[in-house]
Every structure is written in structure tokens, then in C-alpha cells.
Amino acid sequence: MKSGRQDLGKGSIPKLVLGLAVPAMIAQFVNVLYSLIDRVYIGNIPLVGDLALAGVGVCGPIVTLLSSFGTLVGLGGSILMAIRMGEGNTNAARKVLANCFLMLVGLAVLLTAGFLLCREPLLRCFGASDATFPYADTYMTIYTAGTFFALMAVGLNYFITCQGYSTVGMAAVLIGAVANIVLDPVFIFALDMGVAGAAVATVLSQFFSCAFSLWFLFRKPPIRIGLGRPDLSLMLRVAGMGFPPFLILATDSLILIAMNAVLQYYGGPAQGDTLIACATIVQSCMALITGPMLGISSGTQAILSYNYGACQSDRVRQAARCVLRMCLAFTVVMFALFQLLAGQIVRIFTSDAALLDLSAWGLRVFTLGIIPLAVQYARVDGLTALARTRTSLALSLFRKGGFVLLTLVLPALFGARAAFYAEPLADVISACVSGVVFVLVFEPQLARREFHAARRTPEP
């Protein structure tokens, strides 16, 4: 075993879970800082901070959607690659990585062109008012131009981690985050670029992460990026594997769109922009929970996938239990923190007294269901790691569909602020359903894998 690389098939499961989960948590936490730091600085721009913050909040769904395509390829491909590595099929693993690299390049080109051409109607549809549109348009134009770096930085990181190099994957994200922290005040305040400066700093930071990831994957690990003939069937398999986690992230965009539109509609000219600014702050804080928890559940998928591929069912069971416990422990701590310190946390975004009170209330409401949400993340990502993509997709759709429905219905019945209750209600209901489904399908899935391995036949 090479220095700095963890053996997914032989190491202690608790140590492996910690070894992969902690760096992935840190990486995801730092990744959240890309948007969070931007919003903190933007919210404190003199005279126009609150309007600028609302404008950037309107961009949130597009930023999330762009990043989710990196997860589609990276997470889907890394799961398939880890299974092939567990089977001992190195050539197939290399083929997966080569095709995923081509997919990321192609998606980056298509998405950049598409979003640049359609940004104005999209921003209007997502809740930009006449007052906030100039800020949203400026930020989105610059950010979208750097889509290639964003997709590569997100997607390639999964292929570093799934080979056991969790600290290297963390370092790739840290490089971009530190750069963003340094560059944000320079471009926003020192160069007086405002919202445009925040976008430029973010794109440059993503470039640094992208460059480091490419350098590592071309030169260092056992499975490196290589060039080969595109395999359409393999690309479709990767997309199928990555679609459930992609849907989780992409439909976050739909929820943000629905919430912004609902708040603007029911809040009206008097309160619409203020409510969107509040939602932007609350959703930024919520990302400090969901981002690291996604790091736990997705960062440890390689352990489940590798041992599933090697037919080591006891190690798969033990890993699934460890991941759930870690997610629950994390959400208990974050629940206490956000409920007790909501006012102090939102204060870093704004000094406006009315917005402070509203945001503190919104944050406490939004985080009411985060402990059950740990079950949703651990179980859905666990099923994805076992190639049970249709089941995990259905569970993801159930949660997000319920979330959107509640976001639309509650304000119509109880007023604009009721939209904030959609999150905890959807979290609790979906966690119950996902927990029951996991119990029903987990053991049969392991038995099915062992059956096909014993007969030396591929799974259908």
C-alpha cells in the first residue's frame, strides 16, 4: 500500500470510515465556504449589501445545478470504478475514469454555452426583481464563464478519494477555499469590484482546485486519467449510477427556485426581496449541515462499493452502520448549535435588525428536522453505493417532491413565512420512508451479489 493511501478491502472499518469521512466532511464544509464567504462579504457591501445579497441568492439555484453535474459524473463514475477495483479489474477501472473525464469536458462546454445564452430569462424566473437583477446578472455571467473549472474541481475529486487518497481530495478543495478567502476582500473591496469581484474570486479559486486535481490524477495514483475511445454504454451506466445524488443536488435548485418565487409572490413588493435575502442566509447556513453530511455519506461510499464488489458482505454491513452513526452524531451537534446560536450565526451576514430577527427565526425553523435527515442521507447514499440506483432515485424523488409540494402549498394556506416549514416536514417524512425501505432491500441486495459472484455471472 502506497503512503497516504488507505486499503479499502482490509483496513479496520471504523478507521476507514473516519479516515474517508473526516477529510470528505472538511472538503465539503470548505466547498460550502465558496458561496458562504461570497455572501458574507456581499451582504456587508456598503449601502447596497442587502439587495446585492438577494441578487446573489437568486443565482444560488444555477450555481447548485452547475455543480450537481460534476457530482453526476464524479460520484457515479467513482462508485463504478470502486466496484471494478474491488473485483480486481484494473483495466475496466481505467476505462471508467477515461470516459468520465470526457463526460466532464463535454458537459462543461454545453452548460457554459447554454446558461450564458439563457441567463436573463432564468434569473427573472428564479425570482430576480428589477432592483436585484443587475447584481444577479453580473455574478451569474462571470461565474458561468468558469463552469469548466467548477465541474472539473467537483467531479475529479471523487476519483481521488475513491482510490483511498482522502487527504489529497481534501487538499484539492482547501487550495481553492483558501484562495477564495484571500481573493474575496481583494476583489470586492480593495479593487472596488463589488459583486463582480466575488464572482471573479470564486472562478479563480475553482481554477486552482481544478489544476491541482488534474495534476494529481495524470501523474500519481494507480488509476490515472488516460485517453481512450468513448464508450456510450459505459457513459450511460455512469449517468445512471450518478443520477440519484445528482437529483438530490439538482432538485435543491428547484426548491430554491420555488421558494424564491413563492416568497417574491406572497411577500409582494414590500417584503419579497427581504424574504429572499432571509432565505439566502438560511439556506447558506443549512449548507453547513448538508454539505459536511454529504461528505460523510458520499465520501465513504467507496468503502461500501469496494467491499460490495469484493463480496465482503460483513464489511459492507459494518460500514453502513458506522456511516449512519456518524451522520446522526454530526446532526445532533449541529441541531444544538443552530437552535441555540441562530442569532449570532446570522449576524455575520447582515447588520439590519429586521433581517437579523427574521433570519434567526427562519434558521431555527429550517433546522428542526436535521437529525432525521441523517437517516435519509446515510441510507440513500448507501443504496447508491451498492448500485441500487432505482431505489435511491425513488427515495430522492419522494423527498424532493414532497419538499416542493409543501413549499407551494403552505404559503398559500398560511402566508409567505410558512414556506420555511417545508424543509423540516419533508426531512422527517422522507427519513421515515427511507429507513424502512433500506431495511427491506439491504440484505436481499447483498445476497443477490453473493449469488451472482458464486455462479460467476454478472448482475443484471
Side-chain angles (χ1 to χ4, degrees):
M1 184 171 64
K2 295 185 178 181
S3 176
R5 185 174 177 232
Q6 293 159 306
D7 191 333
L8 304 181
K10 296 180 180 178
S12 163
I13 290 294
K15 289 182 179 178
L16 280 172
V17 169
L18 281 174
L20 267 67
V22 171
M25 280 178 67
I26 295 172
Q28 285 289 342
F29 174 77
V30 171
N31 201 35
V32 170
L33 290 181
Y34 277 128
S35 60
L36 187 62
I37 291 170
D38 282 349
R39 292 176 182 188
V40 169
Y41 283 121
I42 289 167
N44 286 280
I45 294 175
L47 302 179
V48 298
D50 291 344
L51 278 177
L53 183 62
V56 173
V58 171
C59 300
I62 300 176
V63 171
T64 302
L65 185 59
L66 288 173
S67 297
S68 65
F69 280 96
T71 300
L72 170 71
V73 178
L75 190 50
S78 65
I79 289 171
L80 190 57
M81 192 170 92
I83 292 174
R84 297 295 173 256
M85 290 167 63
E87 294 170 346
N89 194 340
T90 303
N91 288 333
R94 289 196 180 99
K95 187 177 180 181
V96 171
L97 180 54
N99 276 267
C100 288
F101 179 70
L102 292 176
M103 289 176 72
L104 287 170
V105 173
L107 282 171
V109 173
L110 292 174
L111 291 171
T112 300
F115 276 97
L116 283 175
L117 290 173
C118 301
R119 69 184 187 281
E120 182 170 352
L122 284 174
L123 291 173
R124 292 289 188 185
C125 178
F126 294 174
S129 65
D130 290 338
T132 61
F133 177 79
Y135 303 104
D137 185 52
T138 298
Y139 188 90
M140 203 66 254
T141 300
I142 297 171
Y143 185 92
T144 306
T147 297
F148 176 86
F149 306 130
L151 257 64
M152 285 292 175
V154 172
L156 295 179
N157 197 275
Y158 288 101
F159 296 99
I160 296 173
T161 302
C162 84
Q163 297 189 62
Y165 294 100
S166 55
T167 53
V168 176
M170 179 181 67
V173 178
L174 285 174
I175 288 170
V178 171
N180 200 35
I181 291 169
V182 173
L183 293 176
D184 253 340
V186 173
F187 282 97
I188 294 173
F189 298 112
L191 298 179
D192 197 26
M193 293 177 64
V195 168
V200 171
T202 299
V203 170
L204 287 174
S205 302
Q206 290 169 338
F207 165 77
F208 294 138
S209 290
C210 170
F212 178 82
S213 299
L214 285 170
W215 169 81
F216 183 83
L217 282 171
F218 269 111
R219 296 174 61 90
K220 297 293 182 180
I223 309 297
R224 303 175 187 175
I225 294 176
L227 299 178
R229 181 178 299 177
D231 186 330
L232 182 59
S233 63
L234 177 58
M235 290 181 177
L236 291 174
R237 182 81 189 277
V238 167
M241 286 278 197
F243 193 70
F246 163 80
L247 188 70
I248 291 173
L249 293 173
T251 50
D252 280 344
S253 299
L254 293 178
I255 291 166
L256 294 175
I257 294 166
M259 177 163 277
N260 286 344
V262 163
L263 293 176
Q264 190 66 255
Y265 178 80
Y266 288 101
Q271 287 191 310
D273 288 340
T274 301
L275 286 168
I276 289 177
C278 169
T280 301
I281 292 172
V282 169
Q283 288 154 357
S284 298
C285 294
M286 186 68 177
L288 293 173
I289 300 170
T290 57
M293 190 157 61
L294 182 63
I296 299 172
S297 60
S298 65
T300 54
Q301 282 179 314
I303 304 172
L304 277 74
S305 298
Y306 186 99
N307 288 285
Y308 178 72
C311 290
Q312 299 190 65
S313 296
D314 286 341
R315 290 175 63 82
V316 176
R317 294 186 188 96
Q318 190 179 0
R321 290 194 296 268
C322 287
V323 171
L324 178 59
R325 289 172 190 153
M326 193 169 184
C327 286
L328 286 170
F330 172 73
T331 52
V332 167
V333 172
M334 297 303 289
F335 175 81
L337 181 68
F338 277 51
Q339 290 296 318
L340 295 174
L341 302 176
Q344 290 85 340
I345 292 169
V346 300
R347 195 176 297 277
I348 66 174
F349 293 91
T350 181
S351 57
D352 181 87
L355 185 55
L356 271 172
D357 291 341
L358 182 62
S359 298
W361 168 84
L363 183 56
R364 290 191 183 98
V365 170
F366 234 62
T367 54
L368 286 173
I370 61 171
I371 296 176
L373 186 61
V375 177
Q376 173 77 7
Y377 271 66
R379 291 329 194 189
V380 170
D381 283 354
L383 290 173
T384 303
L386 304 185
R388 188 85 187 209
T389 52
R390 291 182 181 178
T391 306
S392 55
L393 175 60
L395 293 173
S396 299
L397 282 171
F398 178 80
R399 175 174 178 259
K400 299 299 183 177
F403 201 157
V404 171
L405 180 63
L406 289 166
T407 300
L408 296 175
V409 171
L410 291 177
L413 298 175
F414 305 107
R417 288 175 56 157
F420 288 86
Y421 286 96
E423 172 82 36
L425 286 172
D427 290 346
V428 172
I429 294 169
S430 61
C432 294
V433 173
S434 296
V436 171
V437 171
F438 184 86
V439 170
L440 293 175
V441 305
F442 180 65
E443 287 297 334
Q445 184 70 12
L446 294 181
R448 182 169 173 261
R449 176 67 181 177
E450 292 172 352
F451 172 78
H452 286 286
R455 298 184 60 188
R456 297 187 182 277
T457 60
E459 291 183 67

